[in-house]
Each structure stands twice: as C-alpha cells, then as structure tokens.
Amino acid sequence: MTEQTASPKRTIKSTRPFTPNLVYFEPKALEFSKGKQIMDYVVAKGIEHRMTTSHNRITNLPGETEQEKYRIAKKTLVVGVRKTLDFDQSKPSADYAIPISTGCMGHCHYCYLQTTLGAKPYVRVYVNTEQILSKAKEYIEERAPEITTFEAACTSDPVGLEHITGSLAELIQFMANEEFGRLRFVTKFHHVEPLLHLKHNNHTRIRFSINSDYVIKQFEPATSRFEERIEAAAKVAQAGYPLGFIIAPIIWYDGWEKGYGELLERLAKTLPSDVTDGLTFEMIQHRFTKTAKNIIEKRYPKTKLEMDIEKRKQKWGKYGKFKYVYPNEQQTALREFITERIFEYFPKANIDYFT
Ligand code: SF4
C-alpha cells in the first residue's frame, strides 16, 4: 500500500484570503497613506499592477467570453478615491450605506451586484477613509440624539478585503467613540482575525450570512464554508461584538423545510451557548429583476437558480424596476417556518425583519 492510499481521510482546506491577480491604481490614491500601504502589499506579493487615470477607463480586461471576462474582473482590484460622499439610504438594515468598497470576489449566482455593477464587476476599494468618516460624522450630528446606523456591506463584502485595506478596523474604532453612531456589516467570509482585538464599545454589529447546505453548495462558490463562518461568528461574539445572522437569500426548492430546519439545528449545535444572548436574525427572500435574470444566465449558464417569472409575484422596486419575489402563500410559509425554527433553537433572539 502506498503512503497516499494509507490515509483515506480528506483534509478540508481553509478558504484562503482573496489575492487579486491584477491591481490598478488611480494616481490620486497614492497620495493617501492607505493607497501607499496597498501598493506595498502588492509589491511584496509580486502582484502585477498598473496605473489608470480612472476606473472607468478599464475597458480592456482580457477574456474571450462573458464568463471569462467576469471571472477575470472578479480577480482584479482597483484602488481609488471615493468621490461621491453622499451616502445612499440602506433600509431596512440601516440608515445609510457607508462606502468603503464596491464589488466582491465571491461568485454567488444570485448576487445583486451583478446588476448594480453591470459591466464593471471588478473589486474597488477606496483609500480616503478619513473623508468618508468625516461625512459619517456629519450624518450622525444631523440626527443626534437619534442613533444613526451605517451598513458597510451594501456594495461589497468588506471582511474579505480587510487584510488588504484595514478599512473596517478604522470604521469600528471611529464608531466606538461615537455616542450616536453605530456600524454594521454582513459577511460570507471568515477572515475576522484583524477585528478581534479592536476597541468597538459594542457599537458594531457583525452579521454572518448563512443558508441551507443546498443553497451554499449550489450558489455560493468562492466564499467561506458554513463551518468557517460559524467559527468566525463565535470568535467575534467572544470578542464582545454584538452578533447577528442574515438568512439570505431564502430560496424555495424541493426539500427547503428540511434544509432550513437543519440549518438552524446545525447553527445551534455549532455556536457556543455563551454567545447566543442578544442574537439578531434578518431574513431576505430571493428576488430578481429581468435584467438580473439575463445577466445571471449568461455568467452562470448552468445555474440551478430558479428564476421563472410565471412562478413569482411582481413587486415595485426602489430603482424603478419590477422585481420578482415569491407569491404571498410561499412567503408566509417560508417566514413562519424559519421564524419558528429560530425561536425553537434561540428563544432569546430578535428577528429584525423578513423582506
Ligand atoms: S459574498 Fe456577498 S457580495 Fe460577494 S458575491 Fe456573494 S452575495 Fe455578492
């Protein structure tokens, strides 16, 4: 028997932090310390880099097919300065979206960034964090003494980029000193180490996006595994951060009850019991627009994601387009079943919303 066959156990590799294949710098980015720090990282790693006057000029990324171009773009990082400092609203999860990055290296088939970023799916990070935080302070002061909440993951998954940017650490420490400011973000990545020893003053809620085994395996390539996410969730809770979970997108498929039932059961078994106080859950059903359906079918032609307009209900979306959600009966069944399972395993949890 050879050495290889003597050891049948397969070790599951940890999901590695994102490393871009190509990095573009906008010249102004190098006037900021974060820009220089990212350049040092790129040079130390021997990553190919180029200068560009603006990300809008990146039109010649290689790739023959739509799929290939998309895959290459997802491994391309653009380091720039955030020019628009008016924050978008971010209902229902927060008051405002705080912009520190746009785009994501994950390959979730259903991701709405495919539509919102359209032909520019590369990952962008912004180096002028101080200006972004000054703007956040203005928003907080305008609304004080009401609490103002900022969502840092509306257009990206910033945890997956933290080892390159350090931006979340800056936001967390800033918000720790803001009496009326709160931060929140959600992630499908487990790379939380750089956040564990920061002063956060309970002003940042970290949420992990979770889903049934079927949904994670079918539709969430290039993200951390369920077990990795839960291990990271336990670590951030043990570091004193308020913790939450987002079950999204909730998908109706043959066996969904079993799938979502097992999800909550596994979560309860895996999560240490000392971190379950004050847990929050958010639930978002799957939705899509006609534009999203066209793009997804081109980029992931073999996807099993069900996007049959005939089986859905139309809902008017805030961007002036119809989106397709589940009919009322299915929505109610999903909401009631998952809510019951949440309270069965986590009786003290809060459910923030189902949408
Ligand atoms: S991890 Fe989140 S932001 Fe990234 S592709 Fe998946 S759904 Fe989109």
Side-chain angles (χ1 to χ4, degrees):
M1 200 181 265
T2 64
E3 217 177 85
Q4 253 184 335
T5 51
S7 132
K9 260 198 191 165
R10 199 166 60 93
T11 38
I12 300 173
K13 281 195 202 146
S14 166
T15 308
R16 291 223 213 108
F18 169 63
T19 308
N21 284 345
L22 172 63
V23 182
Y24 284 93
F25 285 89
E26 294 174 6
K28 277 215 174 324
L30 294 173
E31 293 171 14
F32 291 81
S33 57
K34 195 193 294 289
K36 290 184 197 138
Q37 165 210 315
I38 299 177
M39 177 60 98
D40 290 345
Y41 158 88
V42 165
V43 171
K45 290 256 177 199
I47 300 169
E48 184 183 344
H49 58 279
R50 299 177 192 166
M51 300 304 289
T52 178
T53 46
S54 159
H55 80 97
N56 285 318
R57 301 204 171 249
I58 305 172
T59 49
N60 57 346
L61 281 176
E64 296 290 312
T65 59
E66 165 92 17
Q67 278 168 284
E68 206 185 336
K69 281 182 194 296
Y70 184 62
R71 263 203 316 276
I72 290 169
K74 286 248 175 194
K75 291 287 272 180
T76 302
L77 180 70
V78 182
V79 183
V81 176
R82 176 76 184 189
K83 293 189 190 83
T84 320
L85 288 174
D86 288 333
F87 296 0
D88 286 333
Q89 287 203 337
S90 176
K91 300 288 179 197
S93 96
D95 296 304
Y96 294 105
I98 188 164
I100 51 170
S101 47
T102 308
C104 176
M105 50 284 163
H107 271 275
C108 305
H109 295 188
Y110 51 72
C111 180
Y112 64 79
L113 295 181
Q114 302 197 63
T115 323
T116 53
L117 302 183
K120 298 172 187 166
Y122 37 75
V123 184
R124 293 170 65 200
V125 295
Y126 308 116
V127 295
N128 50 331
T129 327
E130 270 179 33
Q131 293 170 350
I132 295 166
L133 288 175
S134 301
K135 189 69 195 185
K137 194 157 179 84
E138 279 178 31
Y139 283 114
I140 294 169
E141 283 169 358
E142 262 170 30
R143 291 164 45 97
E146 238 186 273
I147 297 285
T148 302
T149 314
F150 299 89
E151 169 65 74
C154 278
T155 53
S156 179
D157 191 315
V159 171
L161 295 164
E162 185 63 8
H163 61 294
I164 300 175
T165 65
S167 296
L168 280 178
E170 284 176 79
L171 264 56
I172 290 169
Q173 292 172 110
F174 164 85
M175 222 55 89
N177 295 322
E178 291 299 318
E179 186 181 1
F180 303 115
R182 297 291 181 275
L183 179 69
R184 41 177 38 218
F185 50 88
V186 57
T187 185
K188 287 189 174 73
F189 292 91
H190 72 284
H191 306 108
V192 294
E193 289 304 325
L195 312 179
L196 296 180
H197 305 292
L198 302 174
K199 179 186 162 204
H200 56 74
N201 210 10
N202 295 330
H203 286 185
T204 294
R205 182 174 292 275
I206 303 182
R207 296 109 85 222
F208 287 82
S209 170
I210 54 171
N211 222 310
S212 71
D213 202 37
Y214 170 80
V215 174
I216 292 181
K217 288 201 173 123
Q218 291 292 338
F219 308 122
E220 297 184 355
T223 62
S224 294
R225 285 179 290 110
F226 175 81
E227 291 75 13
E228 290 177 313
R229 296 181 207 176
I230 304 311
E231 213 176 288
K235 284 185 192 164
V236 301
Q238 277 151 355
Y241 285 97
L243 174 67
F245 292 100
I246 301 195
I247 308 181
I250 298 173
I251 291 184
W252 184 283
Y253 59 92
D254 276 347
W256 67 267
E257 283 174 301
K258 185 165 179 283
Y260 286 104
E262 281 172 3
L263 166 70
L264 272 313
E265 190 186 352
R266 263 169 92 203
L267 185 64
K269 274 192 190 147
T270 331
L271 203 60
S273 54
D274 62 335
V275 305
T276 56
D277 273 2
L279 265 192
T280 56
F281 284 87
E282 294 151 78
M283 296 190 272
I284 306 174
Q285 63 172 309
H286 179 237
R287 74 262 329 270
F288 61 91
T289 59
K290 276 189 184 158
T291 315
K293 179 175 154 78
N294 289 338
I295 296 176
I296 293 166
E297 284 168 352
K298 272 196 206 126
R299 290 182 178 163
Y300 302 105
K302 292 189 184 147
T303 188
K304 291 188 180 153
L305 194 61
E306 178 275 302
M307 291 177 288
D308 183 349
I309 285 165
E310 299 300 313
K311 293 184 182 163
R312 299 291 186 120
K313 172 188 149 170
Q314 265 190 351
K315 190 175 171 184
W316 187 242
K318 68 173 172 172
Y319 296 111
K321 279 193 177 144
F322 277 113
K323 55 189 170 185
Y324 295 90
V325 295
Y326 290 114
N328 291 352
E329 263 177 42
Q330 283 178 310
Q331 283 191 37
T332 307
L334 290 166
R335 192 188 63 239
E336 287 182 356
F337 180 84
I338 299 174
T339 301
E340 280 167 21
R341 295 290 83 71
I342 289 173
F343 287 133
E344 178 183 339
Y345 293 108
F346 303 100
K348 288 196 247 158
N350 277 317
I351 296 182
D352 286 350
Y353 57 85
F354 173 98
T355 180

